[in-house]
Amino acid sequence: MTFDVLVPSSLVREAEDKREATRKLGYVARAATVFRADRLVVFPDREGERRWGGGFVEVVLRYAATPPYLRKDAWGRRDELEYVGVLPPLRVSSRTGFGPDRPGSLQEGIVTEVGPDGRVRVNCALQHPISLLLPDGMEVSEGERVAIRISSREPVRARIVDEPPPGFAVRRAGLSEALARPDAGLRIATSRHGTELSVDRLADVVGRSGGDMTVAFGAPGRGLPAILDMLVEDVATDEADADDFAVGDPDVEPGPGFDLWLNTIPRQGSETVRTEEAMFASLAPLTLTE
């Protein structure tokens, strides 16, 4: 299962200062963590950015996604990170191995030195950097992040594995590029102008996803129709056209590329819903299992 969440570069457009913008991004990172997103993609919405643009958004989200024990080595001091002290802890669950060939927990490490004979020095969740052997065919460079499976801490027994570490990755990409990924699965646009999500509709959505899913969100006061320069009435038409296509069909080109437009908060009581609020409200039902 691959689960991607797409957010616009304008998602902190209403923040009064850098501190508030940073705090808001912390809640976005929390939502991505709570619902086990694999990738958090920041797509451009330069017309709606105002003071805090995509560069700031990406850096703060990347910092938030970095384990605390790696942040000093990975980031140092940057202007964008002035108020990262207000970020809530993500407390990403370490994935535990299963079976005799996958013992221990999976942690993230950062390569601090590349040595000879396929060995590298890695800073991870242990007290000191350790020297490890790279898996066959794997190449890394200094500063790169790798997944470490730790089977024992005293004495230290660990190995680098060729798989994603726990948590989510942060990427910057165009909306069309993110939706065109072969593992995008069911592509959902969230909007108050979409089809209202009901119990019956939810069962259909979960059944159609096949496990892979991409969910896109707009910004406060600037939803996805505005970002995509769509008329509100075109949202319903776009979804009606999309219902005729199979999920993942490479020939599908309904509007900007979504399979569904969903109103995941049908009884919305506020004039606007903040992006982080929409993420918690939307991802909770969409990630339910059958």
Side-chain angles (χ1 to χ4, degrees), residues 139-158:
E139 296 183 1
V140 298
S141 56
E142 187 174 327
E144 189 169 342
R145 294 170 192 172
V146 292
I148 310 292
R149 192 167 290 283
I150 301 174
S151 54
S152 172
R153 295 177 182 269
E154 292 185 8
V156 174
R157 293 191 181 94

Side-chain angles (χ1 to χ4, degrees), residues 18-209:
K18 189 188 295 186
R19 181 187 180 92
E20 180 58 29
T22 301
R23 187 191 303 276
K24 180 183 179 75
L25 292 171
Y27 292 129
V28 169
R30 279 286 298 174
T33 302
V34 168
F35 297 105
R36 291 187 177 272
D38 295 296
R39 286 182 292 260
L40 184 57
V41 180
V42 181
F43 63 87
D45 176 31
R46 295 183 179 86
E47 292 184 16
E49 284 180 0
R50 297 182 179 170
R51 293 181 64 188
W52 318 109
F56 172 82
V57 170
E58 180 189 14
V59 167
V60 175
L61 288 176
R62 283 184 182 274
Y63 179 91
T66 303
Y69 55 84
L70 294 179
R71 287 174 176 173
K72 182 178 179 180
D73 289 338
W75 291 102
R77 291 183 175 274
R78 298 185 57 154
D79 290 342
E80 298 96 330
L81 305 178
E82 182 179 3
Y83 292 105
V84 291
V86 303
L87 291 172
L90 300 189
R91 300 183 64 82
V92 176
S93 300
S94 298
R95 290 203 296 269
T96 301
F98 297 95
D101 61 334
R102 291 171 61 86
S105 63
L106 197 64
Q107 305 282 351
E108 184 174 338
I110 185 169
V111 176
T112 59
E113 183 181 347
V114 178
D117 303 324
R119 298 194 73 88
V120 295
R121 198 164 185 79
V122 181
N123 182 9
C124 53
L126 302 173
Q127 186 174 1
H128 303 289
I130 56 176
S131 177
L132 296 174
L133 188 66
L134 287 171
D136 291 341
M138 185 176 180
E139 296 183 1
V140 298
S141 56
E142 187 174 327
E144 189 169 342
R145 294 170 192 172
V146 292
I148 310 292
R149 192 167 290 283
I150 301 174
S151 54
S152 172
R153 295 177 182 269
E154 292 185 8
V156 174
R157 293 191 181 94
R159 60 190 174 95
I160 298 175
V161 293
D162 192 7
E163 57 184 286
F168 59 89
V170 179
R171 301 283 186 269
R172 283 184 79 179
L175 192 57
S176 59
E177 177 186 348
L179 295 175
R181 290 182 59 94
D183 59 355
L186 184 64
R187 298 161 296 188
I188 298 174
T190 59
S191 170
R192 66 185 303 176
H193 305 293
T195 301
E196 292 188 356
L197 184 62
S198 63
V199 174
D200 292 339
R201 184 67 168 174
L202 178 60
D204 179 58
V205 170
V206 173
R208 287 183 62 183
S209 71

Side-chain angles (χ1 to χ4, degrees), residues 207-254:
R208 287 183 62 183
S209 71
D212 295 336
M213 185 181 297
T214 298
V215 185
F217 296 88
R222 186 172 169 82
L224 283 172
I227 292 174
L228 296 168
D229 198 24
M230 296 177 63
L231 297 176
V232 171
E233 53 265 29
D234 289 340
V235 171
T237 302
D238 185 64
E239 179 167 350
D241 292 340
D243 283 341
D244 296 331
F245 298 101
V247 174
D249 187 339
D251 297 325
V252 173
E253 290 293 344

